[in-house]
Amino acid sequence: MPRPPTLSDAEVAQRLQALPGWTVAGGRLHRDVQFRDFSEAFGFMARVALLAEKMDHHPDWSNVYNRVTFELMTHDAGGLTTLDFDLAGKISALIR
Amino acid sequence: MPRPPTLSDAEVAQRLQALPGWTVAGGRLHRDVQFRDFSEAFGFMARVALLAEKMDHHPDWSNVYNRVTFELMTHDAGGLTTLDFDLAGKISALIR
Amino acid sequence: MPRPPTLSDAEVAQRLQALPGWTVAGGRLHRDVQFRDFSEAFGFMARVALLAEKMDHHPDWSNVYNRVTFELMTHDAGGLTTLDFDLAGKISALIR
Amino acid sequence: MPRPPTLSDAEVAQRLQALPGWTVAGGRLHRDVQFRDFSEAFGFMARVALLAEKMDHHPDWSNVYNRVTFELMTHDAGGLTTLDFDLAGKISALIR
């Protein structure tokens, strides 16, 4: 699947406004989500896995107990693309 | 791990009163749970898997899209035991 | 997404020949898979969940400890379609 | 659950010899595991989640597509304990 081109700084700034909870740092789209415990965190991770596989766009993410951290970028494009903002939006929709 | 003995009909009836949403049929503890979609159902299933593995007591369960059905029993004991009621209570706690 | 039409008995019989391990009974595509333990069974279930969500075609399936049972059909079409055979083939590819 | 004390450098070095594939860096027990694709990586992650929850000791881990990276430590103890080596051993047993 051809990857979309990287977004300009202005486009990134504009799209970020529609994504409360996310920031951009080091060329990555970042969010830290906290849950009650590991079970709740992993139930969420299973849902993120499903939507990432469906999009064929997968997150850079890490987990420590009840915390899940995202550092999204499009590796094939070498930066942030619309795919990362789509994925971030779908991840946000899973967080109550 | 030694399994607890099967419960009498009176004990089953009493414990069932503390478990809204569950019924007993054919010697099984039954509940049908519906979600919005497959993603929500599978996120729930991942959490049930974690607690079942932790208890070392696993459900008889099935899934069709947004629906998850439980038919709990203790195979080693040949009937319903306190383990099934413990598992059912923990499953219920995951359902909002 | 429009669903494909149901397959004729002759088409079902022909496609079944390419699917070792699967049988047709009661209008369903059936397979029973056994694993060493619950962990191995659930790791497999997580992978089936990913591919089903990606196909937007989900299995009727059940699990008891180390066993996972499939009873595939296309609910929207009221019978077996090419989707069920595609899903069955992808599930088989996950079984070593 | 009371956590075990941190291990001495000599104990860490000795235990590490029994754990091929793992290294210690920055006071963490590190391993990088690569799979064929995201599906295989996530199936593995689901199994790691089950055993971590069962042990009540959870990994610091990250995932990018087909790669899963572990950085184990015991947060409550502020360093490496026998729990980390137990978890690492169980993770290794899941990798074919």
Side-chain angles (χ1 to χ4, degrees):
Chain A
M1 191 162 66
R3 293 308 191 185
T6 56
L7 298 167
S8 70
D9 287 358
E11 286 168 321
V12 165
Q14 193 191 337
R15 283 172 186 271
L16 204 53
Q17 293 184 336
L19 273 181
W22 295 81
T23 55
V24 171
R28 303 269 187 143
L29 199 44
H30 172 93
R31 182 162 184 183
D32 204 70
V33 195
Q34 231 168 307
F35 298 92
R36 256 173 305 186
D37 53 24
F38 180 73
S39 162
E40 201 179 89
F42 191 73
F44 166 74
M45 289 172 71
R47 300 188 66 186
V48 172
L50 290 177
L51 71 84
E53 185 73 355
K54 196 170 189 172
M55 287 181 69
D56 196 17
H57 187 59
H58 301 83
D60 286 36
W61 56 344
S62 58
N63 162 245
V64 183
Y65 191 58
N66 67 333
R67 178 176 299 184
V68 182
T69 304
F70 296 96
E71 297 283 355
L72 308 183
M73 70 168 292
T74 303
H75 291 269
D76 295 354
L80 291 173
T81 70
T82 54
L83 284 172
D84 300 304
F85 284 89
D86 286 356
L87 178 56
K90 288 176 180 173
I91 290 169
S92 285
L94 296 182
I95 304 168
R96 272 148 284 137
Chain B
M1 190 163 66
R3 294 308 191 187
T6 56
L7 298 167
S8 70
D9 288 357
E11 285 168 322
V12 165
Q14 193 192 336
R15 283 172 186 271
L16 204 53
Q17 292 185 339
L19 273 182
W22 295 81
T23 55
V24 171
R28 303 269 188 145
L29 200 43
H30 172 93
R31 182 163 183 181
D32 205 70
V33 195
Q34 232 169 307
F35 297 92
R36 256 173 304 186
D37 52 24
F38 179 73
S39 163
E40 200 180 270
F42 191 73
F44 166 74
M45 289 172 71
R47 301 187 67 188
V48 171
L50 290 177
L51 71 84
E53 185 73 355
K54 196 169 189 171
M55 287 180 69
D56 196 17
H57 187 57
H58 301 84
D60 287 34
W61 56 345
S62 58
N63 163 246
V64 183
Y65 192 57
N66 68 332
R67 179 176 299 185
V68 181
T69 304
F70 295 97
E71 299 282 356
L72 309 183
M73 70 168 293
T74 303
H75 291 269
D76 295 354
L80 292 172
T81 70
T82 54
L83 284 172
D84 300 304
F85 284 89
D86 286 356
L87 178 55
K90 287 175 179 173
I91 290 169
S92 285
L94 297 182
I95 304 168
R96 271 149 286 134
Chain C
M1 190 164 63
R3 292 310 190 182
T6 56
L7 297 167
S8 70
D9 288 357
E11 285 168 321
V12 165
Q14 193 192 338
R15 284 173 185 271
L16 204 53
Q17 292 185 336
L19 273 181
W22 296 82
T23 55
V24 170
R28 303 269 187 143
L29 200 43
H30 172 92
R31 182 163 183 182
D32 205 69
V33 195
Q34 232 168 309
F35 297 91
R36 257 173 304 186
D37 52 24
F38 180 73
S39 162
E40 201 180 89
F42 191 73
F44 166 74
M45 290 172 70
R47 300 188 67 187
V48 171
L50 290 177
L51 71 85
E53 186 72 355
K54 196 169 189 171
M55 287 180 69
D56 196 17
H57 186 58
H58 302 81
D60 286 35
W61 56 344
S62 59
N63 163 245
V64 183
Y65 191 58
N66 68 332
R67 179 175 297 184
V68 181
T69 303
F70 296 96
E71 299 281 356
L72 309 183
M73 70 167 292
T74 303
H75 290 269
D76 296 354
L80 291 172
T81 70
T82 54
L83 284 172
D84 300 304
F85 285 89
D86 286 356
L87 178 56
K90 286 174 179 174
I91 290 169
S92 285
L94 297 182
I95 303 169
R96 276 148 282 138
Chain D
M1 191 164 64
R3 294 309 192 185
T6 56
L7 297 166
S8 70
D9 288 356
E11 285 168 322
V12 165
Q14 192 192 339
R15 284 173 185 271
L16 204 53
Q17 293 185 338
L19 273 181
W22 295 81
T23 54
V24 171
R28 302 267 187 146
L29 199 43
H30 171 92
R31 183 162 181 181
D32 205 71
V33 195
Q34 231 169 310
F35 297 92
R36 256 173 303 187
D37 53 24
F38 180 73
S39 162
E40 201 179 89
F42 191 72
F44 166 75
M45 289 171 72
R47 299 188 67 187
V48 172
L50 290 177
L51 71 84
E53 185 73 355
K54 196 169 189 173
M55 285 181 69
D56 197 17
H57 186 60
H58 301 83
D60 286 36
W61 56 344
S62 59
N63 162 247
V64 183
Y65 192 57
N66 67 332
R67 180 176 297 185
V68 182
T69 303
F70 296 96
E71 298 284 353
L72 309 183
M73 71 167 292
T74 304
H75 291 269
D76 295 355
L80 292 173
T81 69
T82 54
L83 284 172
D84 300 304
F85 284 89
D86 285 356
L87 178 56
K90 286 174 180 175
I91 289 169
S92 285
L94 297 181
I95 303 168
R96 274 148 285 135

